């Protein structure tokens, strides 16, 4: 077999409990355009209950399995050396009462945060001062300025987070999505470094 087998591990895989993970599940493959389908069905690992929700498959496990099936194959490995496998256990349905309670607490907390911020920066006084500069009249409650300002806060939050409920305004990721993406990357890197047993060895 003179044609090299090119393979690249995917970054992440989600499977059901006790699934059999095949080479095609965890790798992108290319081998002369004909034999990929057959080789992609080679079993690599069977998920066990003791594996938990997350586990690591290392490229060395893949190479060992391929060598046992195709001893003479020339391998060209590219990309990451580990893949994170997430086991999708059945989730319990959310309690509607608990969801409503959390929603109310978050709503009240967000409102208090905004009000405290406005108190800290003396926003009512700023509104009264702007009203006086524009009209030349003093008014303790310049509603025609405060109401549009309040509406603008809500519209600004929608534009900032780029969402109206479940619908995105455009394809650009919101700052929250970027932060979540970076957090997930750091979490995956931590898990790879600390949970992969092949990376840890104690000599006695």
């Amino acid at each position: 077999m003179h044609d090299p087998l090119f393979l690249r591990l995917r970054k992440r895989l989600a499977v059901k409990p006790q699934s059999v993970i095949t080479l095609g599940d965890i790798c992108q493959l290319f081998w002369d355009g004909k034999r990929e389908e057959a080789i992609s069905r080679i079993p690599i690992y069977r998920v066990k209950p003791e594996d938990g929700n997350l586990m690591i498959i290392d490229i060395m496990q893949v190479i060992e399995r391929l060598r046992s099936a195709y001893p003479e194959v020339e391998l060209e490995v590219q990309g990451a050396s580990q893949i994170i496998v997430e086991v999708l256990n059945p989730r319990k349905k959310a309690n509607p009462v608990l969801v409503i309670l959390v929603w109310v607490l978050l709503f009240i907390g967000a409102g208090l945060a905004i009000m405290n911020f406005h108190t800290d920066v003396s926003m009512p006084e700023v509104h009264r001062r702007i009203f006086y500069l524009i009209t030349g009249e003093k008014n303790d409650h310049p509603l025609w300025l405060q109401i549009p300002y309040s509406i603008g806060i809500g519209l600004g939050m929608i534009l900032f987070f780029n969402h109206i409920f479940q619908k995105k305004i455009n394809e650009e990721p919101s700052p929250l999505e970027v932060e979540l993406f970076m957090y997930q990357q750091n979490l995956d890197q931590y898990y790879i470094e600390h949970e992969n047993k092949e990376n840890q060895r104690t000599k006695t």
Side-chain angles (χ1 to χ4, degrees), residues 33-164:
K34 298 177 182 178
R35 291 172 284 191
E36 290 95 336
E37 184 176 353
I39 200 172
S40 67
R41 292 195 292 266
I42 293 178
I44 300 297
Y45 189 81
R46 176 181 288 276
V47 180
K48 300 186 288 291
E50 57 267 26
D51 290 326
N53 294 330
L54 292 172
M55 61 183 186
I56 300 292
I57 294 180
D58 193 86
I59 189 63
M60 297 305 293
Q61 296 174 254
V62 177
I63 293 175
E64 181 181 1
R65 185 68 183 87
L66 279 171
R67 287 298 187 196
S68 64
Y70 299 90
E72 303 300 325
V73 68
E74 180 182 347
L75 297 176
E76 289 286 345
V77 181
Q78 301 178 356
S81 57
Q82 295 101 7
I83 179 174
I84 295 177
V85 180
E86 180 182 4
V87 182
L88 300 176
N89 293 308
R91 294 184 177 181
K92 297 180 180 179
K93 291 185 178 180
N95 187 335
V97 176
L98 184 60
V99 171
I100 293 173
L101 179 62
V102 172
W103 185 88
V104 170
L105 288 175
L106 291 175
F107 181 81
I108 294 174
L112 287 174
I114 293 173
M115 288 188 291
N116 288 334
F117 167 76
H118 286 155
T119 301
D120 289 341
V121 298
S122 301
M123 189 61 70
E125 182 61 34
V126 172
H127 284 167
R128 287 191 288 267
R129 182 63 177 170
I130 293 174
F131 184 86
Y132 177 75
L133 292 174
I134 294 175
T135 65
E137 299 177 2
K138 291 186 177 181
N139 189 334
D140 291 336
H141 303 287
L143 296 180
W144 68 267
L145 188 63
Q146 293 175 339
I147 291 174
Y149 173 78
S150 300
I151 296 173
I153 291 177
L155 293 177
M157 294 297 288
I158 291 174
L159 292 174
F160 181 79
F161 288 106
N162 195 26
H163 272 82
I164 301 177

Side-chain angles (χ1 to χ4, degrees), residues 24-40:
D25 293 330
I26 62 175
C27 289
Q28 294 175 280
L29 303 167
F30 180 77
W31 196 13
D32 73 16
K34 298 177 182 178
R35 291 172 284 191
E36 290 95 336
E37 184 176 353
I39 200 172
S40 67

